[in-house]
Each structure stands twice: as C-alpha cells, then as structure tokens.
Amino acid sequence: MARIYPLFSSSSGNATFVGTPQGGVLIDAGVSMRRLSAAFSRCGLEFSAVRAVMITHDHSDHVKGLKLLTKQYRIPVYGQEQTLRNLIDSEQIAPTSDVFAISAPVQIADMELTAFDTPHDTQQSCGYRIHTPDGRRCAVCTDLGMVTPAVSQGITGCDLVLLEANYDPDLLRNGRYPYSVRARISSDHGHLSNQACARQAAELVAGGTTRILLGHLSQENNTPALAEQTVAAALAGFRRDCDYLLSVAPVETDGRMVVF
C-alpha cells in the first residue's frame, strides 16, 4: 500500500518520503544529513529505498542536505530546469549524481510523478503529484502564495494532499517580523495562510480527497492547534474521521507515516 512519511515539515526544514520501504522518492532534503539519517532510522527506512530526490525549489529549507546526500549515495535528482541549474551553479548537487529536468510525467520506483508550478518567491517552484502502482494518488504542495489553476489541477482528485498551512494572519500581523518580511510571506508569491488552506481543503474533500496533511507550518506565526482548528472549521459540513482524516505533519518525524 502507498505510504507517505512526512519526515520534516516547517519553515526550518522539509523532507517527505513517498513510497514503501522497498522503494520510493524523497521530496526535498532540507535538513542536515545527520538529522535526515536519524529520521530514516526512526521510520524503518534505508537510503537504498530512495530512487530519486525530487526538488521543489532551491531555498535552503528544502535543499540543505542535498549536497552530502548526493555525494554519499549518488541518488539522481529531479526538478525544474532553472532550479537544477541554480543548484548546480551553487555546487549543491554532487557531480557524481545524475540530474534530470522534469517537464513531463516521469516513472520512478513504479510510480508516475508530475510537477506542477507553484507561485513562490524564487525563479521556479513546484509541487508534485504522485500516482502509485496500486492506483492511489497523492500530492505534496507547499511554498505557495495562492492556489492557482495549475495548483488546483495538480492536487484535485488526489486521495491524500500534504498542503501548506504556513501562518495565521493575526499572529503574522502582530509578530516580531519586520513589515517587509510580513509582506513577502502574505503576498501572492509567499506562503499559504491557514484560511486559504482551509478553503482549498474544503474543495478537496468535496472532490473526494480523504486525507489532508497540513504542512510547512511557521514555528513563529502559527501553531499546529490553530492550523488544525481553522481547517476543521471549514470542513464542518463533513464528518471528521469518517469522510476525511486531518492531521498536521510534524516538525520532525516520530516514525509515523500515513497510508493512503
């Protein structure tokens, strides 16, 4: 059965494994190799199961561990063309690893993966839609300022969606960040608020999605309880734990995964 392991999820580091202990893909490697290795061990995973690393964009909280990971294991790296060029130019991918620009669906570990554009404050940014061998679909979609038609198409119809719920507007507005940073976070190329996430979650569940994972929460401008409460309120017309399952991806895994 298809599984998703949210290894790390916050503004300080992100990495998600999709697949089984026998094979799958790692989406982003935004923490040190030491922490990533410990997370794999807690989940009963081996790096030999990682058939590819799928990069969403080149911000450090998504690629911090990429150079050492590719140096040690020579895992191929996939991503959008400009993202990969930036990573190669900044020497964040070991030259021993193959690099592939993704512009159409690709087959990896018996899964079909498709990238879709996300609006974020970098040259290129994307989410991934994954179709597993047993006919299940999931999507990982974080680091976006708004839900565009491309994003909606990328995540609609999935059984499970890991969707960004980065900040609460009141906490952001009254927090310690300077105005310029607050404006960037809340812009159309920043991050998704709890409320925007909640609206999209309601559309997803209405369309048949049964598992929602809230991800990339700001540790400064959000709390897991607040994000979950906001999204659950928007899903009041559905029966929780019957029509849908809702949870928050942990800042760092305790070894659990979600079957979908």
Side-chain angles (χ1 to χ4, degrees), residues 130-145:
I130 302 168
H131 188 186
T132 68
D134 56 354
R136 309 295 284 174
R137 292 174 173 83
C138 76
V140 175
C141 182
T142 66
D143 297 79
L144 66 161

Side-chain angles (χ1 to χ4, degrees), residues 92-149:
Q92 294 186 76
I93 301 176
T96 51
S97 279
D98 293 327
V99 176
F100 301 95
I102 183 169
S103 58
V106 294
Q107 299 287 331
I108 304 171
D110 296 325
M111 301 185 296
E112 182 181 88
L113 293 97
T114 306
F116 54 90
D117 291 333
T118 53
H120 196 46
D121 57 346
T122 187
Q123 284 184 289
Q124 280 188 311
S125 181
C126 69
Y128 289 102
R129 182 184 180 102
I130 302 168
H131 188 186
T132 68
D134 56 354
R136 309 295 284 174
R137 292 174 173 83
C138 76
V140 175
C141 182
T142 66
D143 297 79
L144 66 161
M146 62 178 177
V147 178
T148 62

Side-chain angles (χ1 to χ4, degrees), residues 11-26:
S11 295
S12 61
N14 297 274
T16 303
F17 181 80
V18 180
T20 70
Q22 289 70 48
V25 296
L26 180 65

Side-chain angles (χ1 to χ4, degrees), residues 4-125:
I4 185 169
Y5 298 76
L7 304 174
F8 296 90
S9 187
S10 75
S11 295
S12 61
N14 297 274
T16 303
F17 181 80
V18 180
T20 70
Q22 289 70 48
V25 296
L26 180 65
I27 300 177
D28 290 330
V31 298
S32 69
M33 266 300 296
R34 178 183 60 80
R35 296 181 66 199
L36 194 58
S37 295
F40 263 63
S41 294
R42 283 194 292 272
C43 292
L45 298 170
E46 302 285 346
F47 282 110
S48 60
V50 181
R51 307 298 166 78
V53 184
M54 318 297 296
I55 299 298
T56 60
H57 64 293
D58 57 7
H59 285 169
S60 63
D61 60 322
H62 294 260
V63 299
K64 183 178 181 179
L66 182 62
K67 183 173 183 178
L68 191 54
L69 175 64
T70 52
K71 182 179 180 179
Q72 289 187 3
Y73 296 99
R74 299 185 178 185
I75 300 170
V77 179
Y78 289 74
Q80 293 174 302
E81 184 175 0
Q82 187 60 54
T83 296
L84 294 176
R85 186 176 296 118
N86 292 345
L87 293 173
I88 292 170
D89 290 346
S90 59
E91 299 183 343
Q92 294 186 76
I93 301 176
T96 51
S97 279
D98 293 327
V99 176
F100 301 95
I102 183 169
S103 58
V106 294
Q107 299 287 331
I108 304 171
D110 296 325
M111 301 185 296
E112 182 181 88
L113 293 97
T114 306
F116 54 90
D117 291 333
T118 53
H120 196 46
D121 57 346
T122 187
Q123 284 184 289
Q124 280 188 311
S125 181

